Amino acid sequence: MINLQPYQNPQYFILLLIALLPLMIGLYRGQRWHFYESLVSLLFLFFIFDAEKTSQGLALIAYTIIQTLIVKSYCSYRNNPRFQNNFWVFALAIVLSILQLVIVKLTPLFAAGNDSIIGFLGISYLTFKTVGMIMEIRDGAIKEFNLGKFLHFLLFFPTISSGPIDRYRRFIKDYDNVPSQEKYIGLIGKGLHNIFLGFLYKFLLGFLFGKMWLPQIQQLALAQRHTAPLGISIYLLGYMYCYSMYLFFDFAGYSLFATGVSYLMGIETPVNFNRPFAAHNLKEFWNRWHMTLSFWFRDYIYMRFVFWAMKNKVLKSRIAMANVGYLLLFLTMGIWHGETWYYIIYGLFHAVVLIMTDAWLRFKKRHRQHIPSNRFTKYFAIFMTFNTVCLSFLIFSGFLDTLWFK
């Protein structure tokens, strides 16, 4: 049987191109066929959740119905002049929206080795979309609920499994409009460029780092764990760098496919990576790495917590509130990845380094006349940031758990 999971083999791309060709012709001629777009989305969703993943498909259907009712109900509540903007109604909508995801994430704690029967591929990213909508409805940025647009936004198949995470208002702006012929030709060029670059990243470089070299280096590192203190050897460093490169090329390749296909459909899905390993510090890194996720966590968790804390005067110091916000943000992000110790340490590691980064930037601003700034210091900052990130990815990989405890 041909594997038609998203972006896994050439057959998927051939079938995808055939399915998108009528849509592309329509967009080139100035027409957007929403009904046909929906049919294509349903077709490729069927490919994702067919055969042994039928149970996941049924979970997705149930999830979609529940989320539709939650978002529609909350939007109706906010638009009804008889009701006030009650915080607890908003909180209930958020809790109900994330409840299925929370159950899926916590299931392994109570049933080791088992996946939740209500889980499916992409549940996290769909939940981020609906939670973002509920928050923007509360803010008054989204004032009406349209069932067709909501479903198309939620189930947009190029990004359903692993993002990038789009925002409803940005997506609908593209969905409601047809790009000019000149602009669409440019989108086709960008889309094909991203797809071919995605092949280079995911199927060549990702394969080399992740499938060929990483298993060999892993075995060498494990072989020396009893002879090197704490198993720290040159092979462990090799594993750290190799895994970091694999993680980047595999995920960035997938994201390039998702944005490339979106462009062919006339939807300018936000990019996810922007030369992250050229960042000068960890704060800049998170503005370049998995950008739609980091911006989502920043806007909907960090910023809202800081504003709430300032409004309620939880702490007198803005710096202290920002630091607590970092801890909350990255602890949440770590737990979202999983409830194991290394994901939690990964999150706390980033929080602590970001707190230190902010402190350094404040110190540097106050003493900039005494601190050199030249080409060497810039490259040194990139070098230090790169190695800090790679160390965090080593923690994230879970390999240290195998190396030390198993």
Side-chain angles (χ1 to χ4, degrees):
M1 178 181 290
I2 297 175
N3 180 10
L4 291 177
Q5 295 302 297
Y7 317 124
Q8 295 298 315
N9 54 57
Q11 293 93 331
Y12 180 88
F13 287 93
I14 293 172
L15 187 60
L16 182 61
L17 181 60
I18 294 172
L20 292 183
L21 194 57
L23 179 62
M24 294 171 64
I25 293 172
L27 288 169
Y28 179 78
R29 293 181 174 179
Q31 296 178 318
R32 181 183 288 279
W33 299 325
H34 289 143
F35 180 74
Y36 183 77
E37 287 184 62
S38 299
L39 286 179
V40 171
S41 287
L42 289 174
L43 175 65
F44 280 87
L45 287 175
F46 174 79
F47 290 151
I48 294 174
F49 298 107
D50 68 341
E52 68 275 7
K53 292 191 176 182
T54 301
S55 61
Q56 289 194 32
L58 295 174
L60 171 62
I61 293 172
Y63 174 90
T64 302
I65 294 172
I66 293 170
Q67 295 295 333
T68 301
L69 292 173
I70 293 170
V71 177
K72 184 181 186 306
S73 299
Y74 186 68
C75 189
S76 298
Y77 164 81
R78 286 289 289 119
N79 289 332
N80 192 323
R82 294 181 300 172
F83 299 114
Q84 297 180 350
N85 186 14
N86 191 300
F87 170 80
W88 295 109
V89 176
F90 162 72
L92 177 62
I94 293 293
V95 169
L96 292 175
S97 183
I98 68 173
L99 182 60
Q100 188 168 337
L101 174 62
V102 171
I103 293 173
V104 169
K105 290 293 185 179
L106 293 181
T107 296
L109 288 178
F110 303 99
N114 294 324
D115 295 325
S116 174
I117 60 173
I118 60 173
F120 57 87
L121 182 69
I123 185 173
S124 292
Y125 295 93
L126 268 60
T127 302
F128 293 148
K129 286 183 175 183
T130 57
V131 169
M133 282 192 68
I134 292 171
M135 290 188 174
E136 292 192 356
I137 289 171
R138 182 174 189 264
D139 294 341
I142 298 175
K143 299 184 181 298
E144 62 179 23
F145 178 87
N146 181 291
L147 178 61
K149 293 179 181 179
F150 172 77
L151 292 177
H152 200 83
F153 165 70
L154 186 66
L155 302 176
F156 187 57
F157 81 90
T159 63
I160 193 170
S161 60
S162 297
I165 307 166
D166 211 343
R167 307 288 176 96
Y168 179 78
R169 288 182 295 156
R170 198 225 62 79
F171 178 89
I172 294 303
K173 185 178 179 181
D174 286 353
Y175 180 77
D176 283 341
N177 295 283
V178 179
S180 66
Q181 190 174 92
E182 180 181 1
K183 182 177 181 179
Y184 185 61
I185 291 173
L187 286 177
I188 292 176
K190 288 171 61 179
L192 293 176
H193 171 269
N194 282 8
I195 290 172
F196 283 114
L197 186 60
F199 272 103
L200 173 65
Y201 276 21
K202 185 173 180 64
F203 295 126
L204 180 58
L205 296 174
F207 176 80
L208 288 174
F209 281 106
K211 304 300 180 182
M212 291 189 63
W213 298 333
L214 191 63
Q216 299 179 36
I217 298 174
Q218 180 178 0
Q219 291 302 317
L220 292 170
L222 288 172
Q224 286 200 345
R225 63 178 169 176
H226 298 302
T227 59
L230 294 177
I232 299 174
S233 66
I234 189 66
Y235 296 113
L236 180 60
L237 291 177
Y239 181 93
M240 179 180 78
Y241 291 121
C242 193
Y243 177 80
S244 298
M245 293 300 100
Y246 163 68
L247 190 65
F248 168 71
F249 286 119
D250 185 75
F251 196 14
Y254 167 86
S255 296
L256 285 166
F257 290 143
T259 54
V261 173
S262 299
Y263 293 160
L264 297 184
M265 299 177 70
I267 303 292
E268 295 186 71
T269 295
V271 298
N272 238 358
F273 295 89
N274 178 24
R275 299 173 61 229
F277 293 133
H280 293 81
N281 56 61
L282 198 63
K283 179 174 285 189
E284 184 183 348
F285 171 81
W286 278 109
N287 287 328
R288 293 169 173 264
W289 174 276
H290 205 346
M291 294 155 61
T292 60
L293 177 68
S294 62
F295 293 165
W296 191 96
F297 273 91
R298 179 198 66 190
D299 294 344
Y300 294 127
I301 296 181
Y302 176 78
M303 294 301 296
R304 289 174 184 266
F305 167 78
V306 171
F307 287 152
W308 173 84
M310 290 175 61
K311 181 180 178 181
N312 292 276
K313 299 180 180 179
V314 176
L315 295 170
K316 293 182 179 180
S317 169
R318 291 190 176 187
I319 293 175
M321 281 190 287
N323 293 342
V324 172
Y326 284 140
L327 290 168
L328 173 65
L329 171 64
F330 282 95
L331 182 60
T332 303
M333 188 179 290
I335 293 173
W336 168 68
H337 280 104
E339 296 78 25
T340 52
W341 70 266
Y342 44 86
Y343 289 137
I344 295 172
I345 294 299
Y346 164 81
L348 293 176
F349 176 87
H350 275 272
V352 170
V353 176
L354 274 171
I355 291 171
M356 294 170 61
T357 299
D358 270 0
W360 163 249
L361 292 176
R362 290 193 299 271
F363 177 85
K364 184 178 177 182
K365 185 177 180 180
R366 292 194 303 267
H367 301 86
R368 55 180 176 270
Q369 67 272 20
H370 303 298
I371 299 176
S373 178
N374 51 47
R375 182 178 297 182
F376 171 78
T377 60
K378 290 179 180 178
Y379 283 126
F380 182 72
I382 293 173
F383 173 79
M384 292 298 294
T385 302
F386 171 75
N387 282 276
T388 300
V389 169
C390 288
L391 176 58
S392 76
F393 287 159
L394 174 63
I395 298 170
F396 177 85
S397 71
F399 182 59
L400 293 178
D401 188 56
T402 302
L403 188 70
W404 292 343
F405 304 120
K406 296 180 181 179

